[in-house]
Amino acid sequence: MTHDTTAASRKSAYEETVRRFRRAVLFTRDFSAVSEVLTPDFTDHFAPPWDPPGRDGVAHRFAQAAHALTTRRVEVLTSVCEADILAQAILLHFEHTGEFMGLPPTGRTFAIGGSNTFRFRAGRIAEHWGVFDVAKIPDLLAPAPGREGGWASMWDADAPPGSGGRP
């Protein structure tokens, strides 16, 4: 029973660390949490190549997103912990409150799915991997469904299945 209790305690502690981090950077915009929660040598495998490396890149990315998207809720769909790894499938609920991907603010609310995987060291996040449905945001914010904007405008709706869309 000791192993199960230890594993459950570790999972609970990791989940609380992630909740605290999300609350700070997504809701209160307290970016000091970046240096408190992430290790000094933190590696973000999700980071785009133009972002600064490590913790500076995380703070930069969250600060930029905060100008365009107001986080309304983070829904954890599942959370799995094994050894020093915590993996979560999540649903992010946003309101479009500033320019994003060239789109002026619409005030629309939307949700995108994704996953986060964290490696912990000494109670802090040392590495992060993420996958999110960011590519569908332009379609979710388009004036109307269809070919008027976003990714949908890239594909020929009349193309036969399997043709790859536009010639």
Side-chain angles (χ1 to χ4, degrees):
M1 283 287 183
T2 304
H3 175 67
D4 291 341
T5 303
T6 302
S9 296
R10 183 176 55 245
K11 179 183 182 204
S12 179
Y14 290 172
E15 289 172 335
E16 180 53 34
T17 298
V18 171
R19 264 192 302 277
R20 187 174 50 144
F21 180 78
R22 286 181 180 142
R23 189 171 37 250
V25 299
L26 293 174
F27 294 99
T28 63
R29 298 177 180 173
D30 174 9
F31 301 113
S32 68
V34 169
S35 61
E36 294 168 12
V37 173
L38 308 180
T39 62
D41 61 343
F42 171 80
T43 300
D44 193 351
H45 302 281
F46 176 69
W50 55 84
D51 258 7
R55 297 190 306 190
D56 290 342
V58 172
H60 175 257
R61 194 166 41 261
F62 277 105
Q64 281 191 319
H67 292 295
L69 304 172
T70 300
T71 306
R72 294 299 179 206
R73 186 164 51 118
V74 177
E75 190 176 348
V76 177
L77 305 174
T78 190
S79 185
V80 178
C81 184
E82 187 170 319
D84 62 348
I85 301 287
L86 178 72
Q88 296 184 323
I90 64 174
L91 195 57
L92 297 165
H93 298 264
F94 294 113
E95 181 178 350
H96 182 211
T97 53
E99 185 176 325
F100 185 75
M101 297 177 88
L103 299 167
T106 63
R108 290 193 183 112
T109 58
F110 64 94
I112 60 169
S115 65
N116 282 307
T117 301
F118 307 95
R119 180 183 304 276
F120 284 78
R121 187 172 63 243
R124 296 169 78 186
I125 300 171
E127 291 183 81
H128 168 256
W129 295 262
V131 177
F132 295 93
D133 293 335
V134 175
K136 75 179 186 182
I137 293 175
D139 287 323
L140 296 171
L141 299 177
R147 299 170 48 143
E148 298 177 28
W151 285 91
S153 64
M154 294 175 49
W155 309 107
D156 184 350
D158 300 323
S163 69
R166 292 191 176 186

PDB file of all heavy atoms in Angstrom, residues 74-93:
ATOM      1  N   VAL A  74     -10.020  26.149 -17.832  1.00  0.00           N
ATOM      2  CA  VAL A  74      -9.183  25.043 -18.268  1.00  0.00           C
ATOM      3  C   VAL A  74      -9.828  23.782 -17.705  1.00  0.00           C
ATOM      4  O   VAL A  74      -9.984  23.646 -16.501  1.00  0.00           O
ATOM      5  CB  VAL A  74      -7.731  25.151 -17.756  1.00  0.00           C
ATOM      6  CG1 VAL A  74      -6.920  23.930 -18.183  1.00  0.00           C
ATOM      7  CG2 VAL A  74      -7.078  26.437 -18.258  1.00  0.00           C
ATOM      8  N   GLU A  75     -10.234  22.924 -18.602  1.00  0.00           N
ATOM      9  CA  GLU A  75     -10.914  21.689 -18.221  1.00  0.00           C
ATOM     10  C   GLU A  75      -9.946  20.522 -18.401  1.00  0.00           C
ATOM     11  O   GLU A  75      -9.496  20.262 -19.520  1.00  0.00           O
ATOM     12  CB  GLU A  75     -12.131  21.531 -19.135  1.00  0.00           C
ATOM     13  CG  GLU A  75     -13.081  20.482 -18.781  1.00  0.00           C
ATOM     14  CD  GLU A  75     -14.304  20.487 -19.712  1.00  0.00           C
ATOM     15  OE1 GLU A  75     -14.496  21.463 -20.493  1.00  0.00           O
ATOM     16  OE2 GLU A  75     -15.037  19.503 -19.665  1.00  0.00           O
ATOM     17  N   VAL A  76      -9.602  19.855 -17.314  1.00  0.00           N
ATOM     18  CA  VAL A  76      -8.722  18.695 -17.390  1.00  0.00           C
ATOM     19  C   VAL A  76      -9.601  17.478 -17.635  1.00  0.00           C
ATOM     20  O   VAL A  76     -10.431  17.114 -16.791  1.00  0.00           O
ATOM     21  CB  VAL A  76      -7.881  18.528 -16.105  1.00  0.00           C
ATOM     22  CG1 VAL A  76      -7.021  17.269 -16.190  1.00  0.00           C
ATOM     23  CG2 VAL A  76      -7.009  19.765 -15.877  1.00  0.00           C
ATOM     24  N   LEU A  77      -9.446  16.862 -18.801  1.00  0.00           N
ATOM     25  CA  LEU A  77     -10.269  15.719 -19.188  1.00  0.00           C
ATOM     26  C   LEU A  77      -9.746  14.419 -18.590  1.00  0.00           C
ATOM     27  O   LEU A  77     -10.517  13.545 -18.209  1.00  0.00           O
ATOM     28  CB  LEU A  77     -10.353  15.619 -20.707  1.00  0.00           C
ATOM     29  CG  LEU A  77     -10.847  16.893 -21.410  1.00  0.00           C
ATOM     30  CD1 LEU A  77     -10.742  16.742 -22.915  1.00  0.00           C
ATOM     31  CD2 LEU A  77     -12.272  17.219 -20.985  1.00  0.00           C
ATOM     32  N   THR A  78      -8.425  14.300 -18.553  1.00  0.00           N
ATOM     33  CA  THR A  78      -7.802  13.142 -17.913  1.00  0.00           C
ATOM     34  C   THR A  78      -6.398  13.526 -17.490  1.00  0.00           C
ATOM     35  O   THR A  78      -5.777  14.412 -18.094  1.00  0.00           O
ATOM     36  CB  THR A  78      -7.793  11.902 -18.837  1.00  0.00           C
ATOM     37  OG1 THR A  78      -7.406  10.760 -18.093  1.00  0.00           O
ATOM     38  CG2 THR A  78      -6.872  12.085 -20.017  1.00  0.00           C
ATOM     39  N   SER A  79      -5.919  12.875 -16.459  1.00  0.00           N
ATOM     40  CA  SER A  79      -4.602  13.166 -15.916  1.00  0.00           C
ATOM     41  C   SER A  79      -3.970  11.845 -15.501  1.00  0.00           C
ATOM     42  O   SER A  79      -4.554  11.094 -14.720  1.00  0.00           O
ATOM     43  CB  SER A  79      -4.754  14.103 -14.712  1.00  0.00           C
ATOM     44  OG  SER A  79      -3.514  14.519 -14.216  1.00  0.00           O
ATOM     45  N   VAL A  80      -2.788  11.570 -16.047  1.00  0.00           N
ATOM     46  CA  VAL A  80      -2.107  10.303 -15.797  1.00  0.00           C
ATOM     47  C   VAL A  80      -0.689  10.615 -15.332  1.00  0.00           C
ATOM     48  O   VAL A  80      -0.006  11.461 -15.907  1.00  0.00           O
ATOM     49  CB  VAL A  80      -2.058   9.444 -17.083  1.00  0.00           C
ATOM     50  CG1 VAL A  80      -1.312   8.148 -16.855  1.00  0.00           C
ATOM     51  CG2 VAL A  80      -3.468   9.181 -17.604  1.00  0.00           C
ATOM     52  N   CYS A  81      -0.267   9.920 -14.287  1.00  0.00           N
ATOM     53  CA  CYS A  81       1.069  10.145 -13.740  1.00  0.00           C
ATOM     54  C   CYS A  81       1.802   8.823 -13.637  1.00  0.00           C
ATOM     55  O   CYS A  81       1.247   7.826 -13.165  1.00  0.00           O
ATOM     56  CB  CYS A  81       0.953  10.785 -12.355  1.00  0.00           C
ATOM     57  SG  CYS A  81       2.533  11.206 -11.612  1.00  0.00           S
ATOM     58  N   GLU A  82       3.037   8.822 -14.116  1.00  0.00           N
ATOM     59  CA  GLU A  82       3.910   7.670 -13.965  1.00  0.00           C
ATOM     60  C   GLU A  82       5.316   8.190 -13.708  1.00  0.00           C
ATOM     61  O   GLU A  82       5.842   8.978 -14.498  1.00  0.00           O
ATOM     62  CB  GLU A  82       3.879   6.790 -15.206  1.00  0.00           C
ATOM     63  CG  GLU A  82       4.654   5.506 -15.014  1.00  0.00           C
ATOM     64  CD  GLU A  82       4.438   4.523 -16.151  1.00  0.00           C
ATOM     65  OE1 GLU A  82       3.308   4.383 -16.627  1.00  0.00           O
ATOM     66  OE2 GLU A  82       5.442   3.902 -16.538  1.00  0.00           O
ATOM     67  N   ALA A  83       5.880   7.762 -12.589  1.00  0.00           N
ATOM     68  CA  ALA A  83       7.216   8.215 -12.166  1.00  0.00           C
ATOM     69  C   ALA A  83       7.236   9.739 -12.121  1.00  0.00           C
ATOM     70  O   ALA A  83       6.419  10.337 -11.429  1.00  0.00           O
ATOM     71  CB  ALA A  83       8.295   7.628 -13.049  1.00  0.00           C
ATOM     72  N   ASP A  84       8.131  10.392 -12.890  1.00  0.00           N
ATOM     73  CA  ASP A  84       8.254  11.850 -12.842  1.00  0.00           C
ATOM     74  C   ASP A  84       7.496  12.554 -13.975  1.00  0.00           C
ATOM     75  O   ASP A  84       7.729  13.728 -14.244  1.00  0.00           O
ATOM     76  CB  ASP A  84       9.727  12.257 -12.847  1.00  0.00           C
ATOM     77  CG  ASP A  84      10.463  11.816 -14.103  1.00  0.00           C
ATOM     78  OD1 ASP A  84       9.916  11.002 -14.880  1.00  0.00           O
ATOM     79  OD2 ASP A  84      11.599  12.273 -14.309  1.00  0.00           O
ATOM     80  N   ILE A  85       6.584  11.846 -14.637  1.00  0.00           N
ATOM     81  CA  ILE A  85       5.839  12.384 -15.778  1.00  0.00           C
ATOM     82  C   ILE A  85       4.358  12.529 -15.426  1.00  0.00           C
ATOM     83  O   ILE A  85       3.738  11.600 -14.899  1.00  0.00           O
ATOM     84  CB  ILE A  85       5.952  11.457 -17.008  1.00  0.00           C
ATOM     85  CG1 ILE A  85       7.408  11.265 -17.435  1.00  0.00           C
ATOM     86  CG2 ILE A  85       5.089  11.953 -18.162  1.00  0.00           C
ATOM     87  CD1 ILE A  85       8.036  12.456 -18.105  1.00  0.00           C
ATOM     88  N   LEU A  86       3.791  13.702 -15.733  1.00  0.00           N
ATOM     89  CA  LEU A  86       2.346  13.940 -15.624  1.00  0.00           C
ATOM     90  C   LEU A  86       1.856  14.311 -17.016  1.00  0.00           C
ATOM     91  O   LEU A  86       2.396  15.233 -17.635  1.00  0.00           O
ATOM     92  CB  LEU A  86       2.044  15.077 -14.644  1.00  0.00           C
ATOM     93  CG  LEU A  86       0.568  15.432 -14.492  1.00  0.00           C
ATOM     94  CD1 LEU A  86      -0.161  14.334 -13.705  1.00  0.00           C
ATOM     95  CD2 LEU A  86       0.404  16.774 -13.790  1.00  0.00           C
ATOM     96  N   ALA A  87       0.857  13.573 -17.512  1.00  0.00           N
ATOM     97  CA  ALA A  87       0.273  13.856 -18.827  1.00  0.00           C
ATOM     98  C   ALA A  87      -1.204  14.179 -18.641  1.00  0.00           C
ATOM     99  O   ALA A  87      -1.908  13.489 -17.900  1.00  0.00           O
ATOM    100  CB  ALA A  87       0.444  12.661 -19.756  1.00  0.00           C
ATOM    101  N   GLN A  88      -1.659  15.232 -19.304  1.00  0.00           N
ATOM    102  CA  GLN A  88      -3.052  15.652 -19.194  1.00  0.00           C
ATOM    103  C   GLN A  88      -3.638  15.979 -20.556  1.00  0.00           C
ATOM    104  O   GLN A  88      -3.005  16.677 -21.353  1.00  0.00           O
ATOM    105  CB  GLN A  88      -3.177  16.891 -18.297  1.00  0.00           C
ATOM    106  CG  GLN A  88      -2.764  16.653 -16.870  1.00  0.00           C
ATOM    107  CD  GLN A  88      -2.980  17.868 -15.992  1.00  0.00           C
ATOM    108  OE1 GLN A  88      -2.781  19.003 -16.418  1.00  0.00           O
ATOM    109  NE2 GLN A  88      -3.398  17.625 -14.758  1.00  0.00           N
ATOM    110  N   ALA A  89      -4.855  15.489 -20.788  1.00  0.00           N
ATOM    111  CA  ALA A  89      -5.653  15.935 -21.928  1.00  0.00           C
ATOM    112  C   ALA A  89      -6.535  17.051 -21.392  1.00  0.00           C
ATOM    113  O   ALA A  89      -7.171  16.894 -20.336  1.00  0.00           O
ATOM    114  CB  ALA A  89      -6.496  14.796 -22.477  1.00  0.00           C
ATOM    115  N   ILE A  90      -6.547  18.192 -22.090  1.00  0.00           N
ATOM    116  CA  ILE A  90      -7.282  19.345 -21.576  1.00  0.00           C
ATOM    117  C   ILE A  90      -8.130  19.992 -22.662  1.00  0.00           C
ATOM    118  O   ILE A  90      -7.913  19.773 -23.864  1.00  0.00           O
ATOM    119  CB  ILE A  90      -6.338  20.400 -20.959  1.00  0.00           C
ATOM    120  CG1 ILE A  90      -5.393  20.992 -22.007  1.00  0.00           C
ATOM    121  CG2 ILE A  90      -5.557  19.819 -19.789  1.00  0.00           C
ATOM    122  CD1 ILE A  90      -4.541  22.143 -21.477  1.00  0.00           C
ATOM    123  N   LEU A  91      -9.080  20.785 -22.221  1.00  0.00           N
ATOM    124  CA  LEU A  91      -9.894  21.618 -23.103  1.00  0.00           C
ATOM    125  C   LEU A  91      -9.749  23.046 -22.588  1.00  0.00           C
ATOM    126  O   LEU A  91     -10.027  23.318 -21.404  1.00  0.00           O
ATOM    127  CB  LEU A  91     -11.350  21.162 -23.068  1.00  0.00           C
ATOM    128  CG  LEU A  91     -12.275  21.651 -24.161  1.00  0.00           C
ATOM    129  CD1 LEU A  91     -11.746  21.275 -25.545  1.00  0.00           C
ATOM    130  CD2 LEU A  91     -13.666  21.073 -23.964  1.00  0.00           C
ATOM    131  N   LEU A  92      -9.245  23.937 -23.435  1.00  0.00           N
ATOM    132  CA  LEU A  92      -9.038  25.335 -23.074  1.00  0.00           C
ATOM    133  C   LEU A  92     -10.204  26.163 -23.599  1.00  0.00           C
ATOM    134  O   LEU A  92     -10.523  26.116 -24.793  1.00  0.00           O
ATOM    135  CB  LEU A  92      -7.731  25.844 -23.680  1.00  0.00           C
ATOM    136  CG  LEU A  92      -6.465  25.161 -23.202  1.00  0.00           C
ATOM    137  CD1 LEU A  92      -5.298  25.480 -24.136  1.00  0.00           C
ATOM    138  CD2 LEU A  92      -6.150  25.590 -21.784  1.00  0.00           C
ATOM    139  N   HIS A  93     -10.823  26.938 -22.729  1.00  0.00           N
ATOM    140  CA  HIS A  93     -11.960  27.797 -23.090  1.00  0.00           C
ATOM    141  C   HIS A  93     -11.471  29.245 -23.083  1.00  0.00           C
ATOM    142  O   HIS A  93     -10.980  29.732 -22.062  1.00  0.00           O
ATOM    143  CB  HIS A  93     -13.097  27.621 -22.083  1.00  0.00           C
ATOM    144  CG  HIS A  93     -13.641  26.233 -22.042  1.00  0.00           C
ATOM    145  ND1 HIS A  93     -14.757  25.862 -22.748  1.00  0.00           N
ATOM    146  CD2 HIS A  93     -13.204  25.121 -21.395  1.00  0.00           C
ATOM    147  CE1 HIS A  93     -15.008  24.582 -22.525  1.00  0.00           C
ATOM    148  NE2 HIS A  93     -14.075  24.106 -21.716  1.00  0.00           N
TER     149      HIS A  93
END
